[in-house]
Coordinates of all heavy atoms in Angstrom, one line a residue:
S270 N 0.0 -31.8 5.4 CA -0.1 -30.8 4.3 C 0.4 -31.4 3.0 O 1.4 -32.1 2.9 CB 0.8 -29.6 4.6 OG 0.9 -28.7 3.6
P271 N -0.4 -31.2 1.9 CA 0.0 -31.8 0.6 C 1.3 -31.2 0.1 O 1.9 -31.9 -0.8 CB -1.2 -31.4 -0.3 CG -2.3 -31.2 0.7 CD -1.7 -30.6 1.9
V272 N 1.7 -30.0 0.5 CA 2.9 -29.4 -0.1 C 4.1 -29.7 0.8 O 5.2 -29.3 0.5 CB 2.7 -27.9 -0.2 CG1 1.7 -27.5 -1.2 CG2 2.5 -27.2 1.2
A273 N 3.9 -30.4 1.9 CA 5.0 -30.8 2.8 C 5.3 -32.3 2.8 O 4.4 -33.1 2.4 CB 4.7 -30.3 4.2
D274 N 6.5 -32.6 3.1 CA 6.8 -34.0 3.2 C 6.2 -34.6 4.5 O 6.2 -34.0 5.5 CB 8.3 -34.2 3.2 CG 9.0 -33.8 1.9 OD1 8.3 -34.0 0.9 OD2 10.1 -33.3 1.9
A275 N 5.8 -35.9 4.4 CA 5.3 -36.6 5.6 C 6.4 -36.8 6.6 O 7.6 -37.0 6.2 CB 4.6 -37.9 5.1
P276 N 6.1 -36.9 7.9 CA 7.1 -37.1 8.8 C 7.9 -38.4 8.6 O 9.1 -38.5 8.9 CB 6.4 -37.1 10.2 CG 5.1 -36.4 9.9 CD 4.8 -36.6 8.5
G277 N 7.2 -39.4 8.1 CA 7.9 -40.7 7.8 C 8.9 -40.7 6.7 O 9.7 -41.6 6.6
E278 N 9.0 -39.6 6.0 CA 9.9 -39.5 4.9 C 11.3 -38.9 5.3 O 12.2 -38.8 4.5 CB 9.4 -38.6 3.8 CG 8.2 -39.1 3.1 CD 7.6 -38.2 2.0 OE1 8.3 -37.2 1.8 OE2 6.6 -38.5 1.4
T279 N 11.4 -38.6 6.6 CA 12.7 -38.0 7.1 C 13.7 -39.2 7.1 O 13.4 -40.3 7.4 CB 12.5 -37.4 8.5 OG1 12.0 -38.4 9.3 CG2 11.6 -36.2 8.4
P280 N 15.0 -38.9 6.9 CA 16.0 -40.0 6.9 C 16.1 -40.6 8.3 O 16.0 -39.9 9.3 CB 17.3 -39.2 6.5 CG 16.8 -38.0 5.8 CD 15.5 -37.6 6.5
P281 N 16.3 -41.8 8.4 CA 16.5 -42.5 9.7 C 17.8 -42.0 10.3 O 18.7 -41.7 9.7 CB 16.5 -44.0 9.3 CG 17.0 -44.0 7.9 CD 16.5 -42.8 7.2
A282 N 17.7 -42.1 11.7 CA 18.9 -41.7 12.4 C 19.9 -42.8 12.6 O 19.6 -44.0 12.4 CB 18.5 -41.2 13.8
G283 N 21.1 -42.5 13.0 CA 22.1 -43.5 13.2 C 22.9 -43.9 12.0 O 23.1 -43.1 11.1
G284 N 23.3 -45.1 11.9 CA 24.2 -45.5 10.8 C 23.5 -45.7 9.5 O 24.1 -45.9 8.4
D285 N 22.1 -45.7 9.5 CA 21.4 -45.9 8.2 C 21.3 -44.6 7.4 O 20.6 -44.6 6.4 CB 20.0 -46.4 8.5 CG 20.0 -47.8 9.2 OD1 21.0 -48.5 8.9 OD2 19.1 -48.2 9.9

Side-chain angles (χ1 to χ4, degrees):
S270 173
V272 298
D274 293 330
E278 295 181 1
T279 56
D285 296 335

